[in-house]
Amino acid sequence: MRLTTLRLAALGAAVLVPATVLIAQDQLLAQAPADPAPIEEQLDPNPSGEQAEPTAAERSAAPRDPLEIYSDLNLFGEIFDRIRSEYVDPPNEQELIRAAIQGMLTSLDPHSGYLPPIEYADMREDTSGQFGGLGVEIIMEEGLIKVVSPIDDTPAARAGILSNDLIIEIDGQQVQGMTQDEAVEKMRGEVGTNVVITVFREGVDEPLEFELTRGIISMRAVRWSMEGGETEGEGDIAVLRLSRFSEQAFVGIERAIEDIYAERNGVPPQGIILDLRNNPGGLVDQSVYVADAFLNRGAVVLTRGRSDNESARYDAAPDPLDARIADVPMVVLINGGSASAAEIVAGALQDHKRATLVGTRSFGKGSVQSIISLGPDGAMRLTTARYYTPNNRSIQALGITPDIEVRQVVPEEFKGRDEIIGEAGLDGHITVEGQEEASVGSSVYVPADKAEDTQLQYALRLIKGEETDPAFPPTAE
């Protein structure tokens, strides 16, 4: 069930003939009253037969003459030439043209845009979920890079780098003074190239030096833990945190469920909590696969574009994975940062009564973007369709409302800064005729400490039966 690339609709020209009502003069006279009106009222108001000038609304509705369009392009060329010849400093012509292309695309909506070659390469790496690197998860601590954990079966893990190691040098350059992003950039690189990492390890007198060969690293899209017990990380309820819909999303869900059953010797968990909070979305096909992991039939998402070729329906199908967890109760956590592909999954599971949604209203991005390669010149991101949930709901600029609204306890220092309106707050966002839009914010705050996570703790109590609500478990109609 692979999502096909949405094709751009060809630009077509149509001739709009204004509807004009013509009334014969003899009909007017036949209907005249017995006492004729003054002569000036009987005169034809348009004796010449000439058409009135079209209104501004009529002009905008009618297609423009191609000659007018090319005239505008001539205007662009004239301005471009004047900049080249008269600007105070010689400009970079390529950057000028790319800026003009970017301006044209971003004028359409907040999600269309131009991707120069470097940004296009970064985007492909981001969506693939793979890159050339060492395989360490890190955080910045007191100006140094601390290894949270090496990723299994990566150059870092095989070389013996351990959790809590402090990276102090990369290729002989001190890390102190670098930002975390700068350090990550130095550790990433072309697969097969070498990098020297110097680390300080507690209990070891001298710094340790490792020469590593960069390999293909798959970013972990899914993390899981068992919760609901007396201590964190213990219990009978599986919590799956899906951070992004990269190409690793469905694989991550599948592996997580396999690992959970393996750890429990085949015993199903008491419940599953799918955490989609602050998930910005990603690949639409991955959202279909992830939803299908929990559904055995029915539509997952509907897309509609300008032509039939851009409109489609994507369905779930029975498979061993969804059969294995069919009887396991499910809660999905969402908030103001749950967008796009995350909303597709949440909407599908809500419409099919497979899961109860807990949290706050989602972001409200209900449009699909196609990435169109421009060869060596990068790519363009173009909005080509709107998507709808299985029940034909558009969430564009409105978002998905949870079945049970649960708000976080926000620390005083974050209050007033933890809420976003979402898509409805973006300038130039696509509108849906006749549909209301979000006008108040939705929180994106999620505490790092699970014990203080009000939404997660409520979901755990809901599954354990310590909280009750008519929305859980959902009842299929």
Side-chain angles (χ1 to χ4, degrees):
M1 186 168 47
R2 178 70 57 176
L3 183 66
T4 57
T5 303
L6 296 172
R7 294 187 293 274
L8 288 174
L11 295 175
V15 177
L16 181 65
V17 180
T20 306
V21 179
L22 301 177
I23 302 176
Q25 184 66 28
D26 59 342
Q27 291 176 313
L28 273 177
L29 293 175
Q31 297 168 5
D35 295 322
I39 189 68
E40 56 267 28
E41 293 184 23
Q42 297 183 41
L43 294 176
D44 188 337
N46 185 19
S48 68
E50 294 181 0
Q51 295 294 323
E53 283 291 320
T55 65
E58 289 171 336
R59 281 196 296 270
S60 63
R64 297 184 65 204
D65 188 315
L67 293 178
E68 290 184 71
I69 297 172
Y70 286 116
S71 176
D72 288 344
L73 291 175
N74 287 336
L75 173 62
F76 172 80
E78 180 181 342
I79 292 173
F80 178 69
D81 286 340
R82 295 295 287 267
I83 293 172
R84 292 180 63 211
S85 60
E86 298 179 25
Y87 185 67
V88 61
D89 294 317
N92 183 314
E93 288 93 344
Q94 185 182 57
E95 288 183 4
L96 279 178
I97 293 172
R98 287 180 174 177
I101 294 170
Q102 182 70 279
M104 178 170 57
L105 287 165
T106 55
S107 72
L108 298 171
D109 66 79
H111 306 294
S112 295
Y114 172 64
L115 299 171
I118 293 177
E119 290 184 26
Y120 182 36
D122 290 343
M123 185 276 299
R124 283 185 294 177
E125 181 180 281
D126 189 37
T127 55
S128 72
Q130 294 183 326
F131 57 90
L134 306 180
V136 285
E137 296 177 348
I138 61 172
I139 58 171
M140 182 70 79
E141 189 174 274
E142 297 180 357
L144 296 176
I145 299 297
K146 181 178 180 179
V147 177
V148 176
S149 66
I151 300 172
D152 293 341
D153 197 28
T154 63
R158 288 192 291 268
I161 291 179
L162 304 177
S163 299
N164 297 319
D165 281 351
L166 294 175
I167 298 176
I168 56 177
E169 289 185 2
I170 303 172
D171 276 339
Q173 185 176 346
Q174 289 192 356
V175 167
Q176 191 136 18
M178 289 186 192
T179 65
Q180 183 169 321
D181 287 344
E182 288 171 340
V184 168
E185 189 66 26
K186 289 190 70 65
M187 287 188 282
R188 289 187 180 184
E190 187 176 345
V191 174
T193 58
N194 292 341
V195 60
V196 176
I197 300 295
T198 305
V199 306
F200 172 79
R201 182 175 294 169
E202 189 173 355
V204 179
D205 294 335
E206 296 293 327
L208 303 174
E209 191 173 279
F210 298 87
E211 183 171 359
L212 308 176
T213 301
R214 294 181 177 95
I216 297 175
I217 309 300
S218 295
M219 289 184 285
R220 194 180 302 174
V222 178
R223 298 175 184 276
W224 67 272
S225 63
M226 300 303 297
E227 304 293 344
E230 293 184 2
T231 59
E232 185 177 311
E234 295 181 359
D236 294 326
I237 300 171
V239 179
L240 279 64
R241 165 66 184 153
L242 176 54
S243 59
R244 186 172 183 82
F245 284 85
S246 68
E247 290 179 5
Q248 311 304 314
F250 171 72
V251 172
I253 291 288
E254 189 176 41
R255 288 177 180 168
I257 292 173
E258 289 175 357
D259 290 347
I260 289 165
Y261 273 80
E263 184 178 286
R264 296 172 58 81
N265 297 317
V267 176
Q270 185 180 356
I272 292 174
I273 297 174
L274 178 62
D275 188 353
L276 298 179
R277 292 173 298 178
N278 296 333
N279 182 317
L283 300 174
V284 176
D285 63 347
Q286 288 294 315
S287 71
V288 175
Y289 303 149
V290 169
D292 190 11
F294 303 101
L295 297 171
N296 61 11
R297 60 185 175 83
V300 171
V301 64
L302 316 171
T303 63
R304 297 188 192 127
R306 286 177 63 183
S307 69
D308 291 341
N309 291 336
E310 293 164 343
S311 302
R313 166 179 165 142
Y314 301 94
D315 290 321
D319 56 62
L321 181 59
D322 58 58
R324 192 176 200 183
I325 57 177
D327 297 325
V328 179
M330 189 173 179
V331 171
V332 176
L333 300 179
I334 61 171
N335 68 359
S338 307
S340 190
E343 293 173 292
I344 289 175
V345 172
L349 297 180
Q350 185 182 50
D351 282 3
H352 285 291
K353 307 296 184 183
R354 175 62 182 94
T356 298
L357 271 53
V358 171
T360 58
R361 191 195 70 245
S362 65
F363 188 87
K365 181 181 177 292
S367 61
V368 178
Q369 285 68 48
S370 295
I371 305 298
I372 302 160
S373 175
L374 302 174
D377 294 316
M380 61 189 289
R381 181 192 290 112
L382 191 67
T383 300
T384 52
R386 292 179 174 88
Y387 74 75
Y388 298 80
T389 71
N391 285 354
N392 205 31
R393 292 184 293 158
S394 170
I395 59 90
Q396 173 62 19
L398 179 61
I400 288 177
T401 301
D403 300 298
I404 307 172
E405 183 179 62
V406 177
R407 296 180 175 274
Q408 297 282 15
V409 178
V410 180
E412 198 64 39
E413 63 268 25
F414 294 132
K415 283 184 178 177
R417 295 185 293 148
D418 67 303
E419 293 191 348
I420 59 172
I421 293 179
E423 180 80 7
L426 300 179
D427 291 338
H429 67 268
I430 294 173
T431 59
V432 178
E433 186 176 353
Q435 178 170 297
E436 64 176 310
E437 296 187 352
S439 56
V440 296
S442 179
S443 179
V444 298
Y445 175 73
V446 178
D449 187 346
K450 291 180 180 178
E452 297 177 1
D453 189 338
T454 307
Q455 294 164 343
L456 173 61
Q457 293 303 321
Y458 180 89
L460 291 169
R461 294 195 303 272
L462 197 64
I463 292 174
K464 290 193 292 184
E466 297 171 3
E467 294 275 1
T468 60
D469 191 281
F472 182 82
T475 304
E477 298 175 355

